Amino acid sequence: MQYGMYQEILEQPESITNTLKYEKENMILIADKLKQFDMIYIVGCGSSISTCYSIRDAIKTISTLPINVQTGYEFSHNQYLEKNSNVGLIVTSQSGETSDTVAALRKAKKYNIYTVSIVNEEESTLRKEADDSIFTRCEKEEAILGTKTYITQLLSLYWLLFSIVGGSRAEKILGELENLPDLLANLIENTQDKALKLAKENKDVDIFYCMGSGVNFGLSYKLAMTMFMEGALKHACPLYSGEFRHGLIERVEENVTVLFLKSSSNNITNEAMKICDGLKVNSIVFDLEDYADIDPLLAPFILVIPLEWFIYYLADLNGEDPGSTRHIGKIRY
C-alpha cells in the first residue's frame, strides 16, 4: 500500500527549487535586516525546533554569531526580555499556527522585537503577524512527521544565517544549497531499496537510540521525536554523541539498537560506534560519505532522505500509516 508520505518524499526537490526561486530575494533582504542584532532568537516546536538546532550548530562551527534556540513555550514563559533591545526573533512552523510559537511571536512584538516567520501556510497567523515572512513553497503537506516542509524550512534558515556570516566557507555552502534539488532527486531514487531492506531487518525493534553530534544532533532529535515516535510509532530517544558515555554506555548490550548519524571521520560518534561494535550492539549507521560529497555542515539535508524511506517502510511493515496521528491535533493544551 502506498501512503501519502510517499509522494511528499518525491516532492522535496521541487519544493526546494520553488522556495529558492520565489523567496531568495526576500531572504537576502531579511538577512540584511538581521545583521544589525546582537542576538538572534530562533524558536520552533517538533520538527521545526530540530531545524533550529541544526542551523545553530552549523553556524557556531564557523562563526561567533550569537544564536539562542528555544521551544515556543520556553521563550514565551521563561525568557527575560527588555523593550527595544537589539535582538531579533525567527519563528519556525510548518502550519504557522503552532500555539506555543504564536505565543512566542506575540511576546516578542510586545517588546518591539523584530520578528521573522518561516511557514508553509500563506494565510497563517505567524505569516500575517510577523514583521517579515518566508513562505516555503511546498503546497499542502499531510504527513505528520514533515518531509518537504522540514527540508525547505532548514534551507531557509541556512540561507538566512550563512548569508549573515559571510566568508569563503559560507559562500561555498550557499552555492551547494543551489545544487540540492538535483542531488536530492538522485538520493530519493537510489536509497529507497536499501532503506526497505534495512526496515525489514529492524521491523521488530521496540526502541531506537538516535545519536549525532554537531549539525547531526538536530536531525537525531527530529528522527527520534517526529519520525520514529510520530511516524513509525516506535519508542526512540535522541542523544548527543558526547553524552554516550553518560547513561547509555551502561545500557548498550547485544540486541540494543543504536542509530548513528555520521558526517566526520574523527569525532566522538566514531568512538561510540567502536564501543558498540565491541558489545555486539545492533548498530545502524547513516554516513554522509555513503551518499554525497558535500560540506559536512549540510549533512542533515542529505541524511534525512534515506532516513525518510527507512521510517516510511518501517511503519508500513508494521501496518502503520507514517503520515497519520493518534493524538496530535486531537488534544489541545
Side-chain angles (χ1 to χ4, degrees):
M1 182 176 179
Q2 192 177 105
Y3 299 102
M5 180 185 167
Y6 190 100
Q7 182 60 34
E8 292 174 356
I9 292 174
L10 302 183
E11 291 169 359
Q12 290 174 106
E14 182 181 9
S15 297
I16 286 181
T17 297
N18 289 336
T19 300
L20 284 173
K21 179 180 179 180
Y22 294 106
E23 293 294 324
K24 185 193 295 186
E25 185 175 338
N26 181 35
M27 289 192 285
I28 292 171
L29 294 172
I30 293 172
D32 193 55
K33 294 179 183 180
L34 289 169
K35 287 178 182 178
Q36 66 182 291
F37 297 116
D38 298 325
M39 170 72 74
I40 299 173
Y41 292 101
I42 311 180
V43 167
C45 301
S47 283
S48 291
I49 199 169
S50 76
T51 66
C52 304
Y53 290 142
S54 288
I55 187 58
R56 177 198 64 190
D57 293 335
I59 291 297
K60 77 180 184 184
T61 304
I62 65 169
S63 168
T64 57
L65 182 70
I67 295 172
N68 186 311
V69 170
Q70 298 183 41
T71 67
Y73 182 89
E74 291 302 319
F75 185 88
S76 60
H77 289 272
N78 296 321
Q79 178 59 54
Y80 173 77
L81 296 174
E82 293 180 336
K83 278 191 177 293
N84 302 313
S85 56
N86 193 38
V87 301
L89 171 70
I90 302 172
V91 290
T92 60
S93 169
Q94 286 95 333
S95 68
E97 301 294 347
T98 308
S99 59
D100 289 340
T101 310
V102 171
L105 176 79
R106 289 174 175 170
K107 175 179 179 178
K109 293 187 74 65
K110 289 180 181 178
Y111 287 86
N112 301 319
I113 290 172
Y114 171 68
T115 57
V116 179
S117 66
I118 302 175
V119 298
N120 192 55
E121 294 292 337
E122 192 167 12
E123 297 301 317
S124 64
T125 299
L126 289 179
R127 181 164 168 80
K128 291 177 180 178
E129 296 189 10
D131 296 313
D132 283 310
S133 185
I134 297 166
F135 177 37
T136 56
R137 308 294 176 124
C138 301
E139 298 186 348
K140 191 71 176 178
E141 183 174 68
E142 299 294 342
I144 186 61
L145 53 81
T147 53
K148 55 186 180 176
T149 55
Y150 164 81
I151 210 160
T152 52
Q153 187 181 107
L154 189 64
L155 171 81
S156 301
L157 285 168
Y158 267 67
W159 193 273
L160 281 179
L161 277 299
F162 277 101
S163 295
I164 293 172
V165 169
S168 59
R169 189 172 182 187
E171 289 299 322
K172 178 177 176 286
I173 286 171
L174 291 173
E176 289 183 319
L177 289 175
E178 297 271 5
N179 297 325
L180 275 178
D182 290 341
L183 180 53
L184 296 188
N186 181 65
L187 284 170
I188 289 168
E189 181 179 353
N190 294 321
T191 60
Q192 185 175 0
D193 291 343
K194 186 176 179 181
L196 172 58
K197 180 177 181 294
L198 190 63
K200 288 178 178 178
E201 294 169 354
N202 291 277
K203 69 180 184 68
D204 295 324
V205 173
D206 292 324
I207 183 167
F208 294 82
Y209 293 100
C210 306
M211 190 170 299
S213 64
V215 295
N216 289 332
F217 173 73
L219 181 55
S220 75
Y221 185 90
K222 171 181 169 57
L223 176 62
M225 299 293 286
T226 70
M227 297 176 78
F228 274 123
M229 288 201 278
E230 293 178 8
L233 297 183
K234 295 283 190 178
H235 292 290
C237 178
L239 292 161
Y240 277 107
S241 297
E243 288 299 285
F244 171 78
R245 52 195 135 187
H246 302 285
L248 184 56
I249 195 170
E250 292 296 328
R251 299 300 304 141
V252 287
E253 56 193 28
E254 192 171 358
N255 296 323
V256 169
T257 298
V258 183
L259 193 154
F260 295 95
L261 302 179
K262 181 174 178 289
S263 58
S264 174
S265 59
N266 183 27
N267 64 21
I268 191 65
T269 301
N270 296 307
E271 297 303 315
M273 288 168 55
K274 290 178 184 177
I275 293 171
C276 286
D277 287 345
L279 295 172
K280 298 181 180 180
V281 169
N282 177 32
S283 296
I284 304 172
V285 181
F286 285 77
D287 189 342
L288 179 64
E289 290 185 355
D290 295 334
Y291 302 107
D293 180 15
I294 199 169
D295 192 296
L297 295 182
L298 295 172
F301 292 94
I302 305 303
L303 296 179
V304 75
I305 301 300
L307 287 170
E308 286 169 351
W309 282 130
F310 176 51
I311 294 297
Y312 179 88
Y313 285 115
L314 193 65
D316 183 44
L317 290 167
N318 283 281
E320 301 289 349
D321 177 353
S324 66
T325 65
R326 294 189 298 175
H327 304 301
I328 296 174
K330 297 177 183 178
I331 299 173
R332 296 299 181 194
Y333 58 90

